[in-house]
Amino acid sequence: MIPKDTIDQVIHTLQIEDVLSDFIKITRKGSIYSALCPFHNEKTPSFVVYPATNTYKCFGCGQAGDAIQFVRKHKDLSFPETIKYIASKYQIPVPERQRTDEEIERDQKAEQIKAIYELAADFYVEQLNDTNLPAAVDARIYITSRLSDEAVTNWKIGFASAEWGSFAKFALQKGWPESLLIESKLVKRSDKTNSLFDFFRERIIFPITDKAGRITSFAGRVLPGENQQVKYLNLPENDHYHKKEILYGLSKASREIKSHGNVFLVEGYTDVIRMHELGFINTVAASGTAFTTEQLSLLSPLTKKITLLGDGDNAGLNAMLKSGKRIAEPRMHPYGVFLPKKKNPTDAFTATEQA
Ligand code: ZN
């Protein structure tokens, strides 16, 4: 943690025109500066920098703020990272405040829960490959009819059996305390029988990673032929994971999104995987939510252009229009690809090349 005094010193030392000119070309016009806005596409400058107030405003897209907000947005940094970046520019030393016991405990717990997720992912992968489990064999036949063996391995797709507490039992044997297993949400305690049981049962399991590629959650798909209401069951959120801040596939896709200057937004987990298999690695999906502004802020440092690929049915169309509206608000550039009925996003690409 950075001491408040240091933060104040950074804020009072920085000059917005110095900081911004590291990123964009600004031109002096009397007491202000003008520039082409880095947050939307334009040919004539509508981005104004005010040295007097250390602020900026774009009259084209409405983006406004101070130097810290600009650097955060432009470099996709956290607040402390931004303070450190600007401090080093002005050679201001940054003493790190000792973390409180509470903060240390919280970080440790988050790490432990991620370790439980790693363990669970391996457990589910092993179950998918267990030839003694007839349901696992069916699940494997189904998933490999849609995805290659390589993709199933790369994306760590697994299987949760119908047994009530097989992961709970396995994790307890590995020495994980019950309290942490329950906090991970993968394990629950039954009020009726007072025994532990697994959240996912008889489902194909998709691990979900954060932008750094670490597993932060799971989704479970029903087996084909099962007549359950919820096709995809998402692990409930915990203190360390918020699904509105996650995009499925982002850790694999981010470099390609940046180099292509475009991201394909699809609806489902398997759509993402199939797009990646077809070579369109710049593809992600909102996992288990409508597209959120938090998810948008994960993409906006990488590209301003988002191409929505919806399923060719009404639900897909509606979801796409809703996302398009949200994306258009902060002046990103949404493009929609409307697919014919009963066509999946990947069908559109099986015979075409990416521009
Ligand atoms: Zn602008």
Side-chain angles (χ1 to χ4, degrees):
M1 293 287 279
I2 302 168
K4 198 179 170 300
D5 288 354
T6 308
I7 296 173
D8 289 346
Q9 198 190 346
V10 167
I11 291 169
H12 295 135
T13 307
L14 70 84
Q15 289 184 297
I16 192 165
E17 66 275 25
D18 283 354
V19 176
L20 268 59
S21 60
D22 288 347
F23 303 103
I24 56 172
K25 190 177 177 301
I26 58 174
T27 311
R28 182 161 203 141
K29 293 220 166 121
S31 63
I32 60 166
Y33 292 82
S34 82
L36 288 171
C37 178
F39 301 115
H40 83 280
N41 252 330
E42 64 176 4
K43 297 228 163 63
T44 49
S46 47
F47 186 90
V48 181
V49 181
Y50 304 95
T53 49
N54 260 336
T55 56
Y56 65 87
K57 183 175 167 119
C58 173
F59 289 89
C61 68
Q63 288 270 358
D66 58 24
I68 291 170
Q69 286 163 326
F70 183 92
V71 174
R72 283 194 71 174
K73 245 178 246 160
H74 210 267
K75 281 180 69 82
D76 188 29
L77 297 177
S78 67
F79 181 78
E81 286 167 340
T82 306
I83 294 293
K84 279 186 210 165
Y85 170 84
I86 300 175
S88 77
K89 180 178 168 65
Y90 290 101
Q91 279 137 34
I92 298 167
V94 180
E96 291 266 349
R97 181 173 69 71
Q98 285 282 313
R99 286 182 301 163
T100 63
D101 289 349
E102 211 172 87
E103 286 159 352
I104 291 169
E105 199 183 314
R106 200 191 133 81
D107 289 352
Q108 277 172 349
K109 197 170 265 182
E111 283 305 308
Q112 287 172 317
I113 286 176
K114 279 177 190 161
I116 291 172
Y117 290 161
E118 291 292 338
L119 180 75
D122 290 343
F123 175 80
Y124 294 134
V125 165
E126 211 154 284
Q127 289 220 310
L128 183 69
N129 293 318
D130 188 343
T131 47
N132 293 319
L133 279 174
V137 174
D138 289 346
R140 180 145 194 112
I141 289 169
Y142 170 74
I143 199 72
T144 51
S145 73
R146 309 192 72 200
L147 305 170
S148 70
D149 283 335
E150 200 188 342
V152 171
T153 306
N154 280 346
W155 295 79
K156 286 200 169 185
I157 295 169
F159 175 69
S161 75
E163 215 183 295
W164 274 79
S166 56
F167 175 66
K169 202 169 123 197
F170 176 77
L172 286 170
Q173 275 170 0
K174 290 277 175 190
W176 286 101
E178 186 188 312
S179 60
L180 267 177
L181 294 176
I182 288 173
E183 207 174 322
S184 81
K185 310 282 182 184
L186 283 171
V187 171
K188 301 209 277 192
R189 178 169 283 290
S190 156
D191 293 335
K192 277 186 198 151
T193 62
N194 200 34
S195 56
L196 293 177
F197 66 97
D198 294 351
F199 179 77
F200 289 116
R201 293 184 311 281
E202 225 177 356
R203 281 180 182 261
I204 294 169
I205 303 293
F206 294 78
I208 296 166
T209 58
D210 61 15
K211 66 175 174 182
R214 301 192 67 190
I215 299 171
T216 49
S217 186
F218 294 90
R221 189 201 190 283
V222 286
L223 296 178
E226 292 287 325
N227 209 1
Q228 292 197 42
Q229 289 204 321
V230 184
K231 191 172 165 196
Y232 279 95
L233 187 64
N234 285 283
L235 191 70
E237 297 194 337
N238 59 47
D239 289 347
H240 312 283
Y241 159 70
H242 304 284
K243 62 184 172 189
K244 65 178 184 181
E245 295 162 6
I246 299 283
L247 284 167
Y248 186 69
L250 184 62
S251 65
K252 291 184 180 9
S254 59
R255 252 183 95 167
E256 289 278 303
I257 293 171
K258 205 163 186 173
S259 67
H260 284 277
N262 176 40
V263 57
F264 291 110
L265 186 66
V266 295
E267 285 194 80
Y269 302 109
T270 51
D271 293 335
V272 173
I273 300 172
R274 283 156 80 189
M275 286 288 281
H276 280 233
E277 281 198 280
L278 289 168
F280 302 96
I281 297 164
N282 50 332
T283 305
V284 298
S287 67
T289 68
F291 194 65
T292 66
T293 41
E294 287 83 356
Q295 288 166 336
L296 189 62
S297 66
L298 290 171
L299 292 176
S300 56
L302 303 172
T303 181
K304 303 281 175 247
K305 185 180 165 193
I306 300 183
T307 306
L308 306 160
L309 291 177
D311 280 341
D313 57 20
N314 280 342
L317 204 64
N318 284 334
M320 197 158 91
L321 289 172
K322 223 165 135 188
S323 298
K325 210 174 147 216
R326 195 183 296 271
I327 292 163
E329 275 161 15
R331 302 296 160 119
M332 298 281 280
H333 307 295
Y335 294 78
V337 176
F338 295 79
L339 300 169
K341 273 196 172 162
K342 303 221 186 319
K343 286 279 182 194
N344 276 316
T346 45
D347 296 335
F349 286 100
T350 40
T352 54
E353 294 271 319
Q354 184 168 12

